């Protein structure tokens, strides 16, 4: 466990952005030294020189980290999250997932409902300095919270997909042999402690140490704020997970592997007023120069629908997406053709590529309007209003014709543990 006195870090970073202190292309304005390179990892070369005002996501609790791994997550000055595309086939597959779920002409009720449970997607993004390095531009699920308490929980009985190599399967099973029995794994969390005005954090090793006998107490740590157990947050979280479970029980077209639920609840004891803190960066308009520069570098890819399928512009197949992506992934981990590329399923036409027209989101301004509109809509009475539970991480999502039993099993077990916490 690590306890970091960082109650103001979020605000400092946010207000720096809000005040425009982080100059575009200005070296030395970003300090990512807190991340520190992990053994065997490579520090990203000079993010401060080409991030176009973006910074490593300060409140990331799991996954690949910018400046530590070769891919990672950034925050855009407009408050959105930028997830760097992983090497093929994972990154392109995740992009296709979002593109399909948010296709403008999507009329599939299953996908339309799914939009409620995943972050909003604003298309592909790249910095003017490295146009071939692609990012997914996503809603920051934590943006409405003053002191966001965040937990990433991987769901499913298997964290490798059906096309994974034997080596990958073994690697995954070794990481958490209990995955099959538990159906979920805590990847990371951070909790705001009201008594000490600090965040407590736990990384992936904490979750891997949890067994059947300790999982209830291990999970309940997320809901202890230093003064007591936040049963209101547990209860609201249960309601949200139940909705996601209902969606899974009603759909037979997608299977999710190594995908997570991101839990967020409000850690701040303050009550009243809009939840959106003034210090959050959303709402800031970048300089006109930045706007033009970035506008020109949003990846504008259009598509059309034929026989109910969204058809893509890049050679109409995954290979086109991979080709585009490879140009930006020369530094991809473990080379450009990992085992799961060789074992990848054929491009059966179900996964095609489209992103939104960037004209709708020049430099995030329309993004901001859209998010604010949605926030207005959410301010009505909502019993789970101070809690978000969203599905994230879609690098291993595949078409299917059956229920996703492994994910459903994980959700049910997670719900039963949450219920036990509630009845403590
Ligand atoms: O590259 P790494 O070392 O971050 O490994 C990732 C793992 O992170 P970890 O070793 O736990 O820090 C990561 O493990 P966790 O989910 O964090 O337990 C995944 O196994 C990831 O594979 P994929 O992207 O889901 O196919 C792994 O990605 P690949 O290495 O397989 O690309
Ligand atoms: N839309 C989002 N809003 C807020 N935080 C996010 C969002 N997407 C990812 N994160 C943060 O980044 C972490 C890793 O994201 P994920 O998509 O799982 O990346 P990876 O593929 O590297 O595992 C999450 O645990 C969470 O802390
Ligand atoms: Mg993840």
């Amino acid at each position: 466990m690590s306890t970091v006195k960082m109650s103001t870090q979020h605000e400092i970073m946010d207000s720096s952005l809000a005040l425009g202190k982080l100059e575009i292309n200005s070296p030395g304005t970003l300090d990512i030294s807190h991340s520190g390179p992990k053994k065997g990892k490579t520090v990203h070369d000079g993010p401060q020189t080409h991030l176009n005002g973006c910074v490593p996501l300060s409140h990331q609790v799991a996954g690949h980290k910018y400046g530590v791994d070769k891919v990672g997550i950034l925050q855009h000055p407009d408050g959105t999250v930028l997830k760097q595309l992983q090497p093929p086939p994972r990154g392109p597959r995740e992009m296709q997932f979002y593109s399909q779920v948010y296709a403008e002409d999507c009329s599939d009720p299953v996908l339309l409902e799914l939009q409620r449970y995943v972050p909003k997607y604003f298309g592909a993004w790249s910095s003017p300095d490295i146009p071939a390095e692609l990012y997914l531009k996503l809603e920051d699920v934590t943006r409405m919270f003053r002191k966001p308490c965040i937990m990433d929980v991987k769901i499913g009985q298997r964290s490798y997909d059906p096309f994974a190599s034997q080596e990958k399967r073994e690697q995954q099973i070794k990481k958490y042999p209990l995955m099959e029995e538990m159906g979920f794994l805590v990847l990371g969390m951070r909790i705001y402690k009201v008594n000490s005005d600090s965040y407590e954090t736990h990384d992936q090793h904490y979750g891997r140490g949890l067994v059947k006998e300790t999982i209830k107490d291990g999970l309940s740590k997320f809901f202890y704020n230093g003064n007591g157990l936040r049963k209101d947050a547990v209860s609201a979280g249960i309601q949200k997970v139940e909705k996601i479970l209902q969606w899974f029980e009603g759909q037979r077209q997608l299977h999710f592997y190594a995908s997570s639920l991101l839990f967020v609840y409000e850690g701040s004891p303050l009550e009243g007023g809009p939840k959106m803190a003034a210090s959050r960066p959303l709402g800031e308009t970048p300089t006109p120069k930045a706007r033009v520069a970035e506008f020109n570098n949003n990846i504008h890819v259009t598509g059309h629908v034929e026989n109910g399928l969204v058809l893509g512009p890049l050679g109409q197949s995954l290979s086109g997406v991979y080709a585009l992506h490879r140009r930006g992934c020369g530094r991809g981990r473990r080379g450009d053709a990992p085992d799961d590329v060789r074992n990848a399923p054929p491009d059966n036409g179900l996964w095609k590529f489209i992103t939104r027209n960037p004209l709708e989101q020049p430099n995030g301004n329309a993004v901001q309007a859209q998010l604010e509109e949605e926030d207005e809509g959410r301010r009505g009475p909502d019993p789970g209003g101070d809690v978000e539970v969203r599905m994230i991480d879609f690098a291993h999502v595949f078409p299917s014709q059956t229920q996703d039993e492994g994910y459903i099993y994980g959700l049910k077990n997670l719900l039963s543990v949450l219920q036990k916490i509630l009845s403590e």
Side-chain angles (χ1 to χ4, degrees):
M1 180 192 96
S2 57
T3 305
V4 187
K5 181 80 180 172
M6 55 179 290
S7 57
T8 54
Q9 180 179 328
H10 213 87
E11 287 84 349
I12 289 169
M13 181 166 282
D14 292 350
S15 56
S16 308
L17 288 165
L19 294 170
K21 283 181 193 157
L22 295 172
E23 289 172 30
I24 291 158
N25 296 339
S26 166
T29 47
L30 299 178
D31 177 12
I32 57 161
S33 54
H34 64 278
S35 311
K38 282 197 266 180
K39 196 175 174 228
K41 311 270 177 169
T42 308
V43 176
H44 200 285
D45 50 335
Q48 68 273 31
T49 61
H50 61 247
L51 289 185
N52 205 29
C54 302
V55 294
L57 186 66
S58 64
H59 48 282
Q60 185 175 342
V61 299
H64 303 104
K65 300 215 164 101
Y66 205 94
V68 177
D69 299 293
K70 286 184 179 172
V71 291
I73 303 209
L74 298 173
Q75 187 142 46
H76 188 279
D78 69 10
T80 55
V81 159
L82 299 171
K83 179 171 179 181
Q84 197 174 359
L85 247 64
Q86 293 176 352
R90 280 166 283 194
R93 203 156 45 208
E94 182 161 37
M95 177 145 77
Q96 285 191 309
F97 170 82
Y98 275 110
S99 302
Q100 196 179 28
V101 172
Y102 283 104
E104 267 167 36
D105 45 11
C106 174
S107 56
D108 179 340
V110 167
L111 298 185
L112 289 173
E113 191 190 340
L114 181 58
Q115 290 180 2
R116 290 190 213 161
Y117 311 125
V118 304
K120 273 186 177 297
Y121 173 58
F122 302 107
W125 183 93
S126 73
S127 147
D129 305 308
I130 312 181
E133 200 167 85
L134 296 183
Y135 295 79
L136 303 171
K137 191 163 169 56
L138 302 168
E139 163 195 9
D140 180 354
V141 175
T142 73
R143 78 189 185 286
M144 291 290 283
F145 297 82
R146 294 186 195 95
K147 301 286 185 192
C149 300
I150 310 168
M151 174 169 68
D152 182 325
V153 186
K154 189 178 278 196
I155 308 289
Q157 288 181 285
R158 284 191 303 166
S159 56
Y160 52 87
D161 66 53
F163 305 98
S165 66
Q166 191 56 30
E167 184 196 3
K168 175 79 181 175
R169 285 166 193 246
E170 285 167 11
Q171 176 221 39
Q172 287 297 312
I173 293 168
K174 201 170 149 199
K175 271 188 192 170
Y176 194 53
L178 290 171
M179 198 70 187
E180 182 125 19
E181 187 184 345
M182 306 283 280
F184 68 89
L185 166 63
V186 174
L187 292 183
M189 61 170 84
R190 72 167 206 165
I191 312 113
Y192 178 68
K193 298 286 175 178
V194 286
N195 51 341
S196 58
D197 187 25
S198 63
Y199 285 102
E200 177 181 306
T201 61
H202 297 276
D203 67 12
Q204 56 186 304
H205 300 288
Y206 172 78
R208 288 186 205 161
L210 298 175
V211 297
K212 226 177 153 192
E213 293 71 32
T214 55
I215 189 69
K216 179 172 78 67
D217 289 345
L219 198 64
S220 68
K221 205 177 265 288
F222 178 59
F223 298 100
Y224 271 106
N225 67 1
N227 283 350
L229 181 64
R230 286 285 306 273
K231 285 198 175 185
D232 61 314
V234 182
S235 171
I238 287 174
Q239 288 180 39
K240 304 258 172 174
V241 177
E242 278 171 346
K243 291 273 176 214
I244 293 172
L245 174 60
Q246 278 167 23
W247 179 82
F248 268 91
E249 287 179 331
Q251 70 90 19
R252 290 170 172 269
Q253 61 197 61
L254 294 173
H255 276 203
F256 296 72
Y257 304 92
S259 182
S260 288
L261 287 184
L262 196 67
F263 286 76
V264 192
Y265 72 86
E266 181 56 78
S268 169
L270 300 174
E271 280 181 24
K275 278 192 289 183
M276 181 139 50
S279 59
R280 305 286 283 161
L282 190 68
E284 281 304 307
T285 308
T287 62
K289 190 179 163 201
R291 185 157 54 238
V292 171
E294 188 184 323
F295 173 79
N296 288 339
N297 278 277
N298 271 304
I299 309 301
H300 181 187
V301 190
T302 54
H304 65 283
V305 172
E306 218 175 86
N307 299 328
L309 296 177
V310 178
L311 297 181
L314 301 174
Q316 308 301 337
S317 74
L318 265 179
S319 57
V321 183
Y322 291 172
L324 175 68
H325 179 64
R326 266 193 207 104
R327 292 205 298 272
C329 282
R331 293 170 292 148
R333 293 168 303 163
R334 298 184 190 172
D336 280 338
D339 274 348
D340 52 351
V341 173
R342 286 194 292 276
N343 296 336
D347 176 8
N348 57 11
L350 280 174
W351 293 96
K352 297 295 180 184
F353 179 67
I354 186 172
T355 72
R356 288 173 169 223
N357 186 333
L359 288 171
E360 293 168 11
Q361 48 189 27
N363 207 26
N365 291 338
V367 171
Q368 177 199 333
Q370 202 172 327
L371 287 170
E372 281 173 357
E373 208 172 276
E374 182 208 341
D375 294 341
E376 282 302 317
R378 280 196 197 175
R379 283 199 190 118
D382 175 3
D386 270 357
V387 175
E388 282 286 1
V389 180
R390 301 285 187 96
M391 295 167 61
I392 59 161
D393 204 349
F394 306 112
H396 303 272
V397 179
F398 293 87
S400 143
Q401 291 176 332
T402 59
Q403 274 197 337
D404 190 342
E405 300 292 353
Y407 199 104
I408 289 174
Y409 175 97
L411 285 182
K412 286 185 174 168
N413 197 31
L414 178 60
L415 278 170
S416 100
V417 176
L418 290 170
Q419 291 287 4
K420 281 184 197 144
I421 295 172
L422 201 54
S423 53
E424 258 177 16

